[in-house]
Amino acid sequence: MINAKKLAAPLAIGFGLLAGFAQAATQTYAMDPAHTSVVFSWNHFGFSNPTADFSDVTGNIHLDDADIARSTVDVSIPIATVDTHVKALTDEFKGKDYFDQAAYPQATFRSTKIVSEGGNKYKVYGELKIKNITKPVILDAVLNKKGEHPMEKKQAVGFNATTTIKRSDFAMDKYAPMVSDAVAISISTEALVK
């Protein structure tokens, strides 16, 4: 006959440990604006491929190691920070023909599904919202590193991601197609556990 009291204690400890592991499997990381870049580029009349960037980008990465499909990403991009490194063009990008910063001060990305591609590669499906227009986007993401940050002494993750969108999808098609409709986007981020 099994002694129920003797069995109950180790079972309770075991289930407690399992619950702890399950809880630890999901972590929320806050993107570090000082180590997050969003750079985009386009073709200019076939002659060059200029770049511009956003700063002060914020967001959260909810990472579930046990089930990557349960992970999510959300990002906010302040339009006021757009910088083409040419003042006249930066001002134009903030105007109504492009991002229309006065009416729409934020662009956002929200994931809808994340799929592991094997190793450290992922497909991040989501919705990009610019100027109150929302379109589906797929990011090709790479997990660069996961572990303790040597300076912050916190758990951290680092990702790179790329995608290409059509600016005409977001009512920003001035000069297209002479200036390319396709815009390549490259993202790099470090995020620290909350």
Side-chain angles (χ1 to χ4, degrees):
M1 186 93 174
I2 297 173
N3 187 319
K5 286 185 179 178
K6 286 184 179 178
L7 186 59
L11 278 175
I13 292 169
F15 283 123
L17 286 172
L18 285 174
F21 285 136
Q23 190 174 15
T26 302
Q27 292 280 2
T28 298
Y29 299 84
M31 294 168 65
D32 177 3
H35 296 94
T36 298
S37 65
V38 176
V39 179
F40 60 99
S41 65
W42 61 95
N43 184 268
H44 189 253
F45 297 104
F47 293 107
S48 63
N49 294 284
T51 62
D53 54 79
F54 292 98
S55 54
D56 296 329
V57 175
T58 57
N60 294 292
I61 300 168
H62 306 281
L63 191 60
D64 188 327
D65 289 329
D67 184 1
I68 199 66
R70 293 168 58 90
S71 300
T72 60
V73 178
D74 62 84
V75 182
S76 293
I77 303 167
I79 298 303
T81 67
V82 69
D83 189 357
T84 68
H85 311 286
V86 177
K87 186 182 183 310
L89 184 57
T90 297
D91 290 344
E92 189 175 2
F93 273 19
K94 291 178 182 180
K96 290 187 176 182
D97 287 332
Y98 291 97
F99 290 102
D100 196 0
Q101 176 207 333
Y104 308 104
Q106 294 280 332
T108 60
F109 174 82
R110 301 276 184 272
S111 68
T112 54
K113 180 173 68 169
I114 299 177
V115 177
S116 174
E117 296 280 283
N120 62 341
K121 297 182 179 179
Y122 303 89
K123 292 278 189 191
V124 181
Y125 296 78
E127 296 181 334
L128 179 63
K129 184 177 181 180
I130 301 173
K131 291 175 68 171
N132 216 30
I133 300 169
T134 302
K135 295 290 182 180
V137 169
I138 303 171
L139 302 177
D140 292 304
V142 175
L143 172 62
N144 299 322
K145 186 174 182 178
K146 182 174 182 283
E148 184 177 85
H149 194 286
M151 295 180 72
E152 300 292 338
K153 304 302 180 187
K154 290 182 176 182
Q155 287 297 304
V157 290
F159 284 93
N160 277 21
T162 58
T163 192
T164 299
I165 65 170
K166 289 184 177 181
R167 59 191 178 95
S168 59
D169 285 346
F170 300 94
M172 296 192 291
D173 55 352
K174 188 176 181 180
Y175 302 124
M178 295 175 292
V179 176
S180 65
D181 191 13
V183 175
I185 302 173
S186 178
I187 304 156
S188 186
T189 189
E190 292 179 20
L192 299 169
V193 73
K194 284 188 165 184

